[in-house]
Amino acid sequence: MTHPSTRRSDGGIRLRRIVAIALMAVTLGACMSSPGTGKNDPLPVKSRQEALDWARQLMAHVAQSAGIGINSEPEQVLFNPCVGRNGESAPDDRYTLLYSVHSDVPGTARHNEVVRSARDLLTKEGLRISSYREATDAEPFAALGARHPESRYFATVDSTGDTRMALGVTTPCLMPPSASPSAG
């Protein structure tokens, strides 16, 4: 694949990037509505497929912005029931999504470039960095964790080996459209 900066049709590529960024901003904002101020406020409503599509788009955006590709191994998709602080659950099928993919990224220096790029992107997207670590020769592990303050999703980029990194996102509790938002 040709790197975008080496193509002659820069205008078309710029337009596609602008459209992609605008789409991502709208998608990110639309994925999960902002929570209210109370613990009993309605949960954001998203089907499992909508949540999965959003997670895929987000991780593809992070990977592209960091200059890496998502490799062909299977993505990890885990839908879990929401469980309260004291182990309680509701019978309305509310769920969280844990989604991750892997990328082949050779070398400690490149891992640092990836976490820096991801940090910069996610910060611009409104996320707050909750953990950040660059790899060193002594500690060849780079890590980034960021949380969106309104939507409450959590994104991560972590070294999983000398030549691999994992990109992941975890949603807050979401309500499927078929369930009653007032239940629970």
Side-chain angles (χ1 to χ4, degrees), residues 44-124:
V45 176
K46 285 287 171 199
S47 72
R48 289 177 183 229
Q49 187 62 53
E50 288 170 324
L52 180 57
D53 291 345
W54 170 82
R56 285 177 176 146
Q57 289 175 345
L58 177 62
M59 290 300 98
H61 181 57
V62 170
Q64 179 183 19
S65 296
I68 58 175
I70 295 172
N71 69 19
S72 62
E73 70 187 88
E75 59 192 355
Q76 296 174 337
V77 178
L78 293 168
F79 289 101
N80 294 309
C82 291
V83 178
R85 183 175 295 149
N86 298 313
E88 67 275 13
S89 62
D92 57 11
D93 294 327
R94 59 186 71 187
Y95 67 93
T96 60
L97 167 62
L98 285 77
Y99 175 81
S100 68
V101 291
H102 285 92
S103 180
D104 297 319
V105 181
T108 299
R110 186 69 178 110
H111 284 225
N112 290 341
E113 291 172 23
V114 169
V115 294
R116 286 180 202 137
S117 294
R119 176 193 62 198
D120 294 347
L121 169 73
L122 294 173
T123 301
K124 286 178 191 172

Side-chain angles (χ1 to χ4, degrees), residues 6 29 32 36 44 97 108 115 134 163 174 179:
T6 62
M32 291 162 236
L97 167 62
T108 299
V115 294
E134 290 190 14
T163 61
L174 300 173

Side-chain angles (χ1 to χ4, degrees), residues 107-159:
T108 299
R110 186 69 178 110
H111 284 225
N112 290 341
E113 291 172 23
V114 169
V115 294
R116 286 180 202 137
S117 294
R119 176 193 62 198
D120 294 347
L121 169 73
L122 294 173
T123 301
K124 286 178 191 172
E125 299 277 347
L127 283 79
R128 293 188 182 140
I129 304 303
S130 56
S131 62
Y132 181 81
R133 176 175 147 176
E134 290 190 14
T136 64
D137 289 338
E139 297 283 338
F141 184 82
L144 166 69
R147 179 174 298 281
H148 194 277
E150 289 94 30
S151 300
R152 300 182 335 251
Y153 69 86
F154 191 73
T156 58
V157 177
D158 300 299
S159 301

Side-chain angles (χ1 to χ4, degrees), residues 9 14 38 75:
S9 59
R14 283 189 194 124
E75 59 192 355

